[in-house]
Amino acid sequence: MEKKIEQLIGEMTLEEKASLCSGMNKWKTESIDRLNIPSIIMTDGPHGVRKAVNEDDFGAHGVDDNEKATGFPTASALASSWDRELLSEIGQALGKESKALDVSILLGPGVNMKRSPLGGRNFEYYSEDPYLAGEIGTAYVKGLQGEGVGACVKHFACNNQEFERMSISSEVDERALREIYLPAFEKIVKEANPWSIMAAYNKVNGIHATENPLLLDILRKEWGYNGVVMSDWGAVNNRVMALKAGLDLEMPGASPANDKKIVEAVKSGELDESILDETVKRNLSILFKALESTKEVETIDFNKHHELARKAAVNSMILLKNEDRTLPLDSNTLKSMAVIGELAVEPRIQGGGSSKVNTTQVDIPLDKISENMGDNVSVNFARGYDLNRDYKDEKLIIEAVEVAKSCEIVVLFMGLPDLIESEGYDRKHMNIPENQVLLLNEIAKVNKKIVVVLNNGSAVTMGSWIKNAKALLEGWLTGQGSGSAVADILFGKANPCGKLTETYPLKLEHNPSYLNFPGVDGKVKYEEGIFIGYRYYDKRKIDVMYPFGHGLSYTEFEYSNLNVSKNELEDTEELIIEAEIKNVGSVEGAEIIQLYVRDKESRLIRPEKELKGFEKVFLKQGESKKVIFKLRKRDFSYFDPSKNYWIMETGEFDILLGSSLSDIRLEETINVISTDKIEINLTGDSPVSEWLMEEKSREIFFEFLDKVRDRVENSLQSENAEMVLGMPLKKVMYFDTELASNSEEIIKNMIKKVNS
Ligand code: BGC
């Protein structure tokens, strides 16, 4: 293939090469008939194939303008399954549907971090944790690309809000970039080799993502990425600069003006033609990959895919609360049930914006609940509120309260409308609309048995209304099978097994980005650094509504037999961690075992715990299974911005296995032995502690300061040791007049010797 591409490039005119650097229209790449180079189609993504019926149409005017396709749960829901196999299965199904619609690249997954719960597109992203997002994204990409359809991992990078999304500069420090905002992309690039990456709309530290050195320096050089980097739709600022920075494909294909600029830049010598050739080579290589794979196309069994959507929805939902074992419901003994809320008949199954799919069918929760209850039982419905207008409608409330009064149990559907949560704008607050909360509180006055089902794409706050819900099921935006999934879980046909991939804080004001969101004057400062999501709440010991990793089941699990392969780990070695998980309850179910690592002491401040592994195990009643995790050097390391590399420090680390971040069941401490040198640039201002850290500098310190050796050593033995340790070398010299008067010369010689 490489030869063929080289040959084609050799035959191309400069203008033809430039033409391949942008699309033909909204969704197609450019073709060159003269050379038999066809175009390929790409389309959104990520949780369903959104192919516009009219290919020159954005397809965003209404879902009906798109071809029919299966609508799977959105990213925040899918990630809550913590199920790599499921993600891969969905990737495969999406690949098959794409191929059937002649789509070669599906624009997804979105792996940006949920920096603020207000981010309008949080429903399209996986988590506030980069490890989790990377694992889930890798499984999705492998599944999709295994079918011969390319992924486009988006939005690279630091695209964490919708406010001024096309111009805002995300001001982020190097450590946060490396530890939080890049690792999900890094993992997917290194482990799944995605066909393409989408450069985001925003700027990163003042430079457009489409022109940012991140593309060449990190993505290409450090991670070795050789696929195509395309722009988000309309994200190119300066085409020639972007090309030089590593942006291969401008989308959509607007006007040929930018292609002309490329031609002119080559002619004027501003752009080296070899850079253009490399770009064209990458663009052609995914084209040929695509042509290769469209050879065999299966007909899609949409019913089978609907069943997969339903299974995915079941696995994505999270039982957040279940007081007095209110759930599951027993349809044999229940005589009456009230189903309340507009969302029970018009479920919100996906988020607003470019990812909206024209679904093949939608399961309606009320219908599915009624089917489960059988003919002898009355299921009474009341609308309760108007989802799209947050105003108090007395009539709807009175009617719902009447229905609730006469029934044994109430299942109340609450949630957010598109109007509040969508691509293009951020939320203003984290509340559920007031008319719904009012409704719940009124119902609670006449019926205490209330099960709340939530329909939202991102964390919400609960305030005091939570006390009126006996059980709470986070139903997310779980795609076209969500109605059946809710019924399956309510009636115990399925056991809930999802867990939170983002923290539910008690208040928006507790969120670490609160003081710096959404930014001002074209900048949003990521001042919380690496402390986003649970890393912040955990470190600050701030109570939350529901912690990261939380999720209940109808059964219980016992953790035992933790075994670590080594108590002393060298940095070239791998640590193997094993434990046994047993289902000790009365029904089958699945548990998500989370592995966190805690660095007990470190030079740079670190999170209290960091997720470094997880496994989901499905267990029959009484069954037990062994789970195995592997940790390597990087899992213990932090990124040191002053050295610009990852450092593992020698010392103690806790290995923690838990059912959630705040429910750690087993732990073990190990010693890690690192060969990384924490090289400190010693100066006259460096404190005594730093001069004494390494043997060599310690010897030099006492050699040159021999006259004050006793004084220093005595102080170090005393209770004032810290005072001396914190003194700069310069000042210690004042202990002696001769040293003090020659201090500059002495320090110069000391530094020279240290560096020799
Ligand atoms: C979105 C992308 C999407 C593209 C094409 C953009 O506005 O940010 O995520 O893939 O449109 O619809």
Side-chain angles (χ1 to χ4, degrees):
M1 196 206 281
E2 219 167 284
K3 255 196 177 157
K4 188 174 170 190
I5 291 175
E6 302 247 324
Q7 197 188 332
L8 274 172
I9 293 178
E11 289 173 39
M12 277 179 206
T13 63
L14 179 58
E15 286 71 16
E16 281 169 339
K17 288 181 193 173
S19 76
L20 291 183
C21 296
S22 64
M24 174 195 278
N25 59 20
K26 303 292 190 298
W27 306 110
K28 277 186 163 175
T29 58
E30 190 58 270
S31 60
I32 304 177
D33 295 344
R34 184 180 76 85
L35 297 170
N36 288 327
I37 297 176
S39 61
I40 50 170
I41 299 175
M42 57 189 93
T43 193
D44 289 304
H47 54 264
V49 185
R50 185 182 76 103
K51 188 186 176 195
V53 176
N54 168 5
E55 68 179 41
D56 204 28
D57 187 348
F58 266 115
H61 311 305
V63 283
D64 295 345
D65 300 330
N66 300 316
E67 304 279 1
K68 288 274 180 199
T70 309
F72 293 100
T74 75
S76 51
L78 282 178
S80 304
S81 73
W82 300 59
D83 188 339
R84 297 176 183 92
E85 262 173 53
L86 176 69
L87 264 291
S88 159
E89 233 181 299
I90 285 169
Q92 284 166 31
L94 288 169
K96 291 194 165 81
E97 291 196 19
S98 298
K99 274 209 292 196
L101 286 169
D102 197 22
V103 169
S104 298
I105 297 175
L106 194 68
L107 303 174
V111 300
N112 296 93
M113 290 292 98
K114 303 191 196 205
R115 175 177 176 254
S116 163
L118 299 182
R121 271 182 116 165
N122 279 7
F123 70 89
E124 255 188 275
Y125 299 138
Y126 292 131
S127 179
E128 65 190 20
D129 180 85
Y131 171 78
L132 180 55
E135 286 291 308
I136 293 291
T138 298
Y140 172 104
V141 172
K142 281 186 177 168
L144 177 71
Q145 296 197 158
E147 293 297 319
V149 171
C152 180
V153 188
K154 58 194 191 181
H155 307 86
F156 191 74
C158 299
N159 183 192
N160 309 99
Q161 64 183 54
E162 295 303 283
F163 174 74
E164 295 183 357
R165 68 169 171 158
M166 296 187 173
S167 58
I168 197 105
S169 175
S170 302
E171 303 283 307
V172 56
D173 66 67
E174 189 67 22
R175 184 171 177 207
L177 196 60
R178 298 301 195 128
E179 289 189 27
I180 304 293
Y181 296 99
L182 295 184
F185 290 99
E186 182 181 359
K187 171 160 272 161
I188 299 173
V189 163
K190 289 182 176 168
E191 293 184 14
N193 194 18
W195 289 19
S196 58
I197 302 277
M198 187 186 286
Y201 283 129
N202 53 289
K203 301 184 189 104
V204 182
N205 294 329
I207 306 177
H208 284 274
T210 47
E211 292 164 19
N212 205 287
L214 286 176
L215 298 179
L216 273 189
D217 295 350
I218 299 188
L219 181 64
R220 296 246 191 255
K221 288 194 191 136
E222 265 188 46
W223 303 347
Y225 183 63
N226 209 17
V228 164
V229 177
M230 70 173 82
S231 70
D232 197 345
W233 267 228
V236 165
N237 169 55
N238 177 318
R239 185 60 187 106
V240 175
M241 273 164 75
L243 196 89
K244 284 189 190 165
L247 187 108
D248 302 311
L249 184 61
E250 175 180 9
M251 286 304 290
S255 70
N258 276 345
D259 298 349
K260 267 196 206 133
K261 284 185 190 153
I262 295 175
V263 172
E264 281 158 19
V266 173
K267 284 189 178 156
S268 71
E270 186 196 344
L271 177 70
D272 195 328
E273 193 164 352
S274 65
I275 295 180
L276 178 61
D277 287 353
E278 282 305 307
T279 299
V280 174
K281 205 192 261 180
R282 285 191 289 265
N283 289 345
L284 286 181
S285 72
I286 59 168
L287 168 77
F288 287 118
K289 260 194 213 173
L291 296 179
E292 186 60 27
S293 70
T294 39
K295 283 179 188 151
E296 337 89 44
V297 176
E298 294 170 34
T299 15
I300 305 300
D301 181 345
F302 281 113
N303 287 329
K304 212 170 121 199
H305 283 192
H306 180 73
E307 275 317 300
L308 176 60
R310 172 183 179 160
K311 177 175 113 176
V314 165
N315 280 276
S316 302
M317 292 183 182
I318 308 173
L319 183 62
L320 291 174
K321 176 177 177 181
N322 196 15
E323 220 174 272
D324 305 331
R325 292 182 181 261
T326 304
L327 291 178
L329 306 173
D330 183 352
S331 53
N332 296 317
T333 54
L334 262 185
K335 295 280 171 289
S336 61
M337 175 193 270
V339 174
I340 296 174
E342 191 179 307
L343 286 161
V345 286
E346 280 176 45
R348 197 163 158 252
I349 59 164
Q350 50 187 337
S354 63
S355 63
K356 219 166 205 178
V357 179
N358 188 4
T359 50
T360 56
Q361 54 177 298
V362 176
D363 292 346
I364 303 301
L366 178 63
D367 298 347
K368 297 295 163 187
I369 289 172
S370 304
E371 277 171 27
N372 272 276
M373 290 288 282
D375 296 337
N376 306 330
V377 191
S378 67
V379 176
N380 305 294
F381 172 71
R383 200 164 135 236
Y385 53 82
D386 185 336
L387 183 65
N388 285 308
R389 287 196 303 151
D390 186 6
Y391 82 112
K392 183 177 160 191
D393 188 325
E394 293 279 3
K395 222 175 111 221
L396 288 180
I397 294 181
I398 292 170
E399 183 189 278
V401 168
E402 276 312 302
V403 170
K405 208 189 270 177
S406 61
C407 293
E408 252 177 81
I409 191 156
V410 177
V411 177
L412 173 59
F413 285 78
M414 293 167 70
L416 303 177
D418 267 13
L419 215 63
I420 290 187
E421 189 181 47
S422 166
E423 174 179 343
Y425 44 89
D426 296 313
R427 283 191 292 169
K428 300 281 174 286
H429 54 72
M430 290 179 72
N431 307 336
I432 292 283
E434 255 176 64
N435 56 353
Q436 298 180 37
V437 173
L438 197 75
L439 173 73
L440 165 65
N441 294 341
E442 287 304 309
I443 293 173
K445 291 180 187 160
V446 300
N447 194 327
K448 295 280 170 245
K449 246 182 148 185
I450 303 174
V451 175
V452 170
V453 179
L454 286 178
N455 238 203
N456 51 299
S458 177
V460 290
T461 43
M462 294 168 188
S464 61
W465 65 253
I466 185 68
K467 67 176 187 306
N468 287 332
K470 279 253 172 219
L472 178 64
L473 180 66
E474 177 50 89
W476 292 127
L477 308 179
T478 22
Q480 64 183 59
S482 68
S484 315
V486 168
D488 287 348
I489 290 178
L490 291 181
F491 292 99
K493 284 186 175 165
N495 191 348
C497 59
K499 296 201 183 198
L500 287 177
T501 65
E502 58 193 287
T503 312
Y504 275 41
L506 283 169
K507 291 179 173 177
L508 169 64
E509 292 82 347
H510 291 179
N511 181 265
S513 73
Y514 180 70
L515 297 177
N516 291 291
F517 185 90
V520 69
D521 294 337
K523 288 182 181 167
V524 51
K525 296 187 177 160
Y526 288 23
E527 286 201 341
E528 67 288 349
I530 60 164
F531 290 98
I532 76 161
Y534 72 81
R535 286 167 166 76
Y536 176 78
Y537 303 114
D538 200 26
K539 191 79 178 178
R540 294 284 319 270
K541 301 195 181 357
I542 293 172
D543 284 342
V544 297
M545 185 71 228
Y546 295 114
F548 180 86
H550 169 76
L552 305 171
S553 166
Y554 296 152
T555 185
E556 269 154 43
F557 301 96
E558 204 175 75
Y559 288 52
S560 65
N561 294 335
L562 173 63
N563 183 45
V564 293
S565 60
K566 289 188 159 63
N567 290 322
E568 299 259 306
L569 185 79
E570 310 239 337
D571 57 10
T572 47
E573 295 174 329
E574 187 175 77
L575 183 72
I576 298 170
I577 298 139
E578 295 177 345
E580 210 163 297
I581 313 299
K582 184 170 185 190
N583 180 347
V584 291
S586 50
V587 284
E588 65 177 13
E591 171 68 329
I592 297 158
I593 302 103
Q594 300 152 44
L595 167 68
Y596 297 93
V597 168
R598 177 195 291 138
D599 188 353
K600 293 185 84 159
E601 208 187 312
S602 150
R603 200 171 70 83
L604 298 193
I605 185 168
R606 297 193 72 177
E608 184 59 19
K609 305 184 199 87
E610 284 184 281
L611 185 76
K612 296 294 173 188
F614 64 86
E615 285 302 325
K616 185 167 193 173
V617 287
F618 293 81
L619 296 168
K620 298 220 166 60
Q621 212 179 323
E623 194 187 358
S624 65
K625 274 188 192 160
K626 195 195 260 185
V627 284
I628 303 175
F629 302 93
K630 288 180 184 162
L631 295 181
R632 292 174 197 87
K633 184 176 175 187
R634 171 80 179 260
D635 300 313
F636 298 97
S637 305
Y638 61 80
F639 189 85
D640 189 333
S642 64
K643 316 282 175 279
N644 209 30
Y645 56 72
W646 293 90
I647 287 198
M648 166 167 150
E649 275 184 27
T650 295
E652 284 186 333
F653 284 80
D654 289 333
I655 307 295
L656 312 159
L657 280 196
S659 182
S660 84
L661 181 83
S662 56
D663 183 7
I664 300 300
R665 305 282 184 87
L666 300 170
E667 61 178 283
E668 185 74 73
T669 303
I670 62 151
N671 252 311
V672 153
I673 302 150
S674 175
T675 48
D676 283 343
K677 281 246 175 304
I678 301 172
E679 283 168 20
I680 291 170
N681 197 12
L682 292 170
T683 67
D685 282 323
S686 302
V688 172
S689 62
E690 289 187 357
W691 276 95
L692 301 186
M693 205 136 90
E694 299 265 329
E695 213 175 296
K696 181 174 173 191
S697 56
R698 187 187 186 95
E699 273 173 16
I700 292 168
F701 178 89
F702 284 120
E703 178 195 330
F704 283 82
L705 275 72
D706 198 36
K707 291 182 83 179
V708 295
R709 176 191 283 266
D710 289 348
R711 188 154 168 206
V712 172
E713 278 181 346
N714 288 340
S715 306
L716 292 178
Q717 300 304 323
S718 76
E719 48 193 29
N720 292 333
E722 274 199 33
M723 202 159 85
V724 179
L725 285 169
M727 281 176 92
L729 170 66
K730 255 187 212 164
K731 304 289 172 194
V732 180
M733 295 200 159
Y734 290 156
F735 288 178
D736 177 87
T737 37
E738 198 190 323
L739 284 177
S741 46
N742 294 312
S743 67
E744 274 183 29
E745 191 56 28
I746 298 174
I747 292 171
K748 218 197 280 163
N749 290 333
M750 286 173 81
I751 293 170
K752 204 163 153 199
K753 195 155 184 189
V754 162
N755 294 331
S756 68

